[in-house]
Amino acid sequence: EITASAGNPERERVAIAWESSSGHLLAVGQPASSFNIVSKEFTTIWSAATTFQCSDTTNNIRWLSLKPNPSPGADDMVIAVGDPESDLNTCYWTGSAWANRNLHDAAIDSADGRAFDFAWEESGSKGLLVYGTTAGQITYRTFTAPNTWGTVTNGAMGANTHPWVELRTNPRVGGVKILGAVLEATANDR
């Protein structure tokens, strides 16, 4: 049990991921009426619960996207967090503790959809955060572990807002590094 008082399960308020090197499992969840996140790590037994803040809001978090670094020898992860005020934050798992909370945007396209996602490059240590924040555009930032974020960049995409983003790491070396799909509101284009 990660928390005995989990938030309403109507959205993605829990996540799990395996550390690439150690094989340990990290589980996170958001307690009801809290802006904190609770995590536990399974090695051969479950660790004690750790509570950390990865949002500026005073309300419940709505969306969690936890992505492990796929590089062999790496145990770090990035969690991206969306809240009811449409804020987008990230925190960094070092392999043993949470660190480096960053607010990326205070007005993403939707608090009711997961208008963001993060993915690592297959080689690890570098990643990409993509999110909708302006109608007719998609926004992205590059990431280099543990806490270097590239310039916010906007690209033209459709004419409407983007309430859902999905990113995946391409496991094949030498090709496209990260694949993504973005849902456009109203037109329902991808």
Side-chain angles (χ1 to χ4, degrees), residues 115-154:
F116 62 88
D117 206 3
F118 177 87
W120 293 89
E121 293 181 4
E122 186 275 332
S123 60
S125 300
K126 293 184 179 181
L128 186 67
L129 178 68
V130 176
Y131 54 100
T133 189
T134 303
Q137 295 182 353
I138 197 68
T139 303
Y140 66 91
R141 294 185 83 177
T142 59
F143 173 73
T144 303
N147 196 30
T148 302
W149 289 95
T151 304
V152 173
T153 304
N154 296 304

Side-chain angles (χ1 to χ4, degrees), residues 82-190:
D83 64 38
E85 281 78 39
S86 298
D87 292 346
L88 171 59
N89 290 270
T90 57
C91 288
Y92 178 74
W93 174 253
T94 66
S96 60
W98 290 102
N100 307 336
R101 181 171 63 118
N102 289 284
L103 172 65
H104 297 279
D105 198 289
I108 58 175
D109 281 345
S110 176
D112 292 322
R114 200 190 71 220
F116 62 88
D117 206 3
F118 177 87
W120 293 89
E121 293 181 4
E122 186 275 332
S123 60
S125 300
K126 293 184 179 181
L128 186 67
L129 178 68
V130 176
Y131 54 100
T133 189
T134 303
Q137 295 182 353
I138 197 68
T139 303
Y140 66 91
R141 294 185 83 177
T142 59
F143 173 73
T144 303
N147 196 30
T148 302
W149 289 95
T151 304
V152 173
T153 304
N154 296 304
M157 183 174 280
N160 303 296
T161 60
H162 300 93
W164 199 269
V165 176
E166 290 282 335
L167 298 179
R168 295 292 182 268
T169 301
N170 183 355
R172 299 190 62 127
V173 176
V176 172
K177 296 178 182 194
I178 297 171
L179 304 170
V182 178
L183 176 66
E184 182 182 5
T186 308
N188 292 326
D189 289 341
R190 290 187 181 97

Side-chain angles (χ1 to χ4, degrees), residues 53-70:
Q53 184 179 350
C54 194
S55 176
D56 294 327
T57 185
T58 57
N59 294 315
N60 291 337
I61 292 166
R62 290 189 172 174
W63 307 99
L64 301 174
S65 177
L66 179 65
K67 301 292 179 82
N69 184 339

Side-chain angles (χ1 to χ4, degrees), residues 1-59:
E1 181 175 275
I2 304 305
T3 177
S5 61
N8 188 332
E10 65 186 2
R11 296 181 176 93
E12 291 179 350
R13 292 181 171 155
V14 298
I16 59 172
W18 298 97
E19 293 178 345
S20 298
S21 178
S22 71
H24 298 166
L25 178 67
L26 187 66
V28 297
Q30 188 260 320
S33 302
S34 173
F35 57 89
N36 291 320
I37 298 173
V38 177
S39 69
K40 283 189 174 184
E41 184 176 16
F42 183 80
T43 56
T44 55
I45 59 170
W46 284 101
S47 69
T50 300
T51 301
F52 65 101
Q53 184 179 350
C54 194
S55 176
D56 294 327
T57 185
T58 57
N59 294 315

